[in-house]
Amino acid sequence: MRAALLSFALGVLLLRAFATLPSLPLLAALAAVALALLFTRFLALGALGLGLAWALLNGHWALDDRLDPALEQRVLWIDGQISGLPTVDADSVSFVLAGATSRRALELPARIRLSWHGGPRPLAGERWRLAAELRGPA
């Protein structure tokens, strides 16, 4: 059992070796083969494949939760809850807005990192509605 757990962890770490994510059908095939291997004497190899498939699927989910390029550099009214502790610099505050929604019912990422120059410091857990110019990660 210990070898299977270590193999699963190694499979998760193998994600770092991929320059791009494979397609979802190829990922489903990998998961099916890994599941079949779990019930043979190649348990560790099956666990490695399942760890890799799980990490790749999480990578696909993370990439699906990105800002739509059509919304970049547009000012939108969004509201959500401050998640975590804001980071305060000399002239700005940055924080994560979780569960962000827009009045226009646009599809936004689950978590948005915002920077506010010259504004008040929000507190963790507060709900805010603000106008923000959205940009993708640099």
Side-chain angles (χ1 to χ4, degrees):
M1 183 57 125
R2 184 177 295 171
L5 290 174
L6 289 173
S7 295
F8 184 86
L10 180 62
V12 170
L13 291 175
L14 275 177
L15 175 67
R16 307 280 296 174
F18 284 79
T20 60
L21 296 177
S23 66
L24 287 176
L26 187 59
L27 179 58
L30 170 68
V33 169
L35 277 173
L37 286 173
L38 283 179
F39 300 106
T40 66
R41 62 180 200 192
F42 300 108
L43 175 68
L45 189 59
L48 179 109
L50 276 182
L52 179 60
W54 181 76
L56 290 170
L57 183 61
N58 278 292
H60 275 284
W61 287 339
L63 288 177
D64 285 344
D65 192 32
R66 290 186 293 181
L67 181 66
D68 185 6
L71 297 177
E72 285 198 29
Q73 297 184 346
R74 287 182 50 194
V75 176
L76 297 173
W77 280 97
I78 57 176
D79 56 310
Q81 186 171 14
I82 308 297
S83 174
L85 296 175
T87 304
V88 180
D89 291 333
D91 63 338
S92 68
V93 164
S94 63
F95 54 93
V96 174
L97 197 67
T101 58
S102 170
R103 292 181 180 178
R104 298 181 183 174
L106 300 170
E107 183 144 347
L108 297 172
R111 297 167 47 93
I112 300 175
R113 175 167 290 286
L114 297 172
S115 294
W116 195 349
H117 300 278
R121 180 179 175 185
L123 299 175
E126 290 181 332
R127 292 203 60 83
W128 280 67
R129 176 176 291 141
L130 46 102
E133 180 180 343
L134 302 179
R135 297 184 189 151

